[in-house]
Amino acid sequence: MKTQFILTPYFLDQRLDGLKELTQPDWIVNNQPLPDADKQTRMSILHKELAKHVTEAVSAGLVPVSIAGDCCTAIGVMAGLQRGGVEPLFIWFDAHGDFNTWETTPSGFLGGMPLAMIAGLGEQTMPNAVGLQPVEHEDIILTDGRDLDPGERELVSGSSILQMQNPMDLLEYDFSDRPIYVHFDTDILNPLDAPAMNYLADGGPRAEELVKVFQHIAQTGQVRAISVSSWNPEMDEDGRSKEIIMDLLRELTSWQNS
């Protein structure tokens, strides 16, 4: 299956112009004008447009690949998949859990909440804005998640999502014949490989380990969507983080050339 890349050059509701250099002629750029409004209203405008493009890609037999500056855009991707009739196994690669609610977050950071939102927990303003139906916890795999807040850790433990602390364990996982949606927060990478991150977390898988995992997932032939929460282009002075991450993304999309 061929891919349709969709670039949303924003971090939450703030422009991230450094991502625009990625754009290829056949990519869709989700660059909506945003009104003077609250943050979630502004973000939801981006998510609605992204969901529309995802549904159109799925309907055309394409695999949508979303690249944006934050993880909240996964809300739009999942909503678009649901509208297109795809109910996937959802694999969330992340150094963090993004499973906070207003009750557990120590910072109040919306970017630390999207997986909980998608799972129907906590704040639902943005999921409701795109018509997202909560994803069953049993359909979610959080892999890595080495840097969880205390209350977030309790919420993950008390849920039915599967936390796979070592991404290499996915090499032994039985995906059956299910469609797969992969969310790749690039800060899962060990900072030795990709240091240009807003929220670094010590440790984590090396790039060569994720190559093996992404190749394995790609070889199932069941990937139906990918979203990427990017590095910070302004911090990537030597371009090394971009190079490693885009190489990894090519591994994950390698089925299109097989």
Side-chain angles (χ1 to χ4, degrees):
M1 298 179 72
K2 298 297 183 180
T3 55
Q4 176 61 70
F5 279 77
I6 309 163
L7 178 68
T8 303
Y10 282 83
F11 173 74
L12 303 180
D13 65 334
Q14 300 300 310
R15 294 173 66 89
L16 192 60
D17 289 334
L19 287 182
K20 289 183 179 179
E21 68 177 37
L22 297 174
T23 308
Q24 301 296 315
D26 58 346
W27 288 24
I28 295 170
V29 179
N30 178 20
N31 194 15
Q32 301 299 301
L34 301 181
D36 183 10
D38 66 89
K39 187 177 291 291
Q40 293 196 65
T41 296
R42 287 162 57 88
M43 292 169 66
S44 292
I45 291 170
L46 298 171
H47 298 169
K48 288 176 185 177
E49 188 71 8
L50 177 56
K52 182 189 79 170
H53 290 308
V54 167
T55 301
E56 290 172 350
V58 169
S59 298
L62 303 173
V63 175
V65 180
S66 166
I67 300 178
D70 66 87
C71 291
C72 291
T73 49
I75 294 169
V77 175
M78 184 63 81
L81 289 175
Q82 289 179 350
R83 291 180 205 168
V86 180
E87 300 289 341
L89 175 67
F90 189 25
I91 309 176
W92 188 279
F93 288 82
D94 201 328
H96 310 93
D98 291 358
F99 210 70
N100 270 309
T101 65
W102 291 124
E103 291 71 33
T104 64
T105 176
S107 65
F109 178 50
L110 279 170
M113 300 182 184
L115 185 55
M117 293 178 183
I118 292 169
L121 301 177
E123 177 65 63
Q124 291 296 295
T125 300
M126 292 191 291
N128 289 341
V130 292
L132 176 70
Q133 297 300 310
V135 174
E136 297 289 341
H137 292 195
E138 292 81 4
D139 291 337
I140 299 172
I141 298 174
L142 167 62
T143 186
D144 193 39
R146 62 187 182 272
D147 187 12
L148 302 182
D149 295 316
E152 179 185 30
R153 188 178 303 279
E154 291 183 14
L155 199 58
V156 169
S157 297
S159 75
S160 299
I161 72 169
L162 173 61
Q163 183 181 4
M164 202 171 280
Q165 294 180 335
N166 184 356
M168 297 295 287
D169 290 343
L170 284 163
L171 297 177
E172 306 300 327
Y173 187 81
D174 180 10
F175 297 103
S176 300
D177 293 321
R178 298 201 57 186
I180 298 169
Y181 167 19
V182 173
H183 176 71
F184 173 29
D185 185 338
T186 57
D187 68 18
I188 189 176
L189 280 160
N190 192 301
L192 295 173
D193 290 327
M197 303 293 162
N198 289 324
Y199 307 102
L200 284 175
D202 290 339
R206 300 299 302 264
E208 59 266 24
E209 294 177 295
L210 280 187
V211 164
K212 294 176 183 177
V213 175
F214 283 2
Q215 286 176 340
H216 177 71
I217 294 173
Q219 288 167 5
T220 67
Q222 295 159 215
V223 176
R224 294 295 175 265
I226 299 166
S227 55
V228 178
S229 178
S230 75
W231 63 99
N232 184 336
E234 296 179 358
M235 299 172 64
D236 193 26
E237 295 182 0
D238 62 0
R240 184 161 60 96
S241 294
K242 170 190 170 183
E243 180 180 1
I244 287 174
I245 289 159
M246 295 306 290
D247 283 347
L248 280 164
L249 184 56
R250 278 186 281 272
E251 296 292 348
L252 194 52
T253 59
S254 60
W255 77 86
Q256 67 178 308
N257 299 316
S258 60

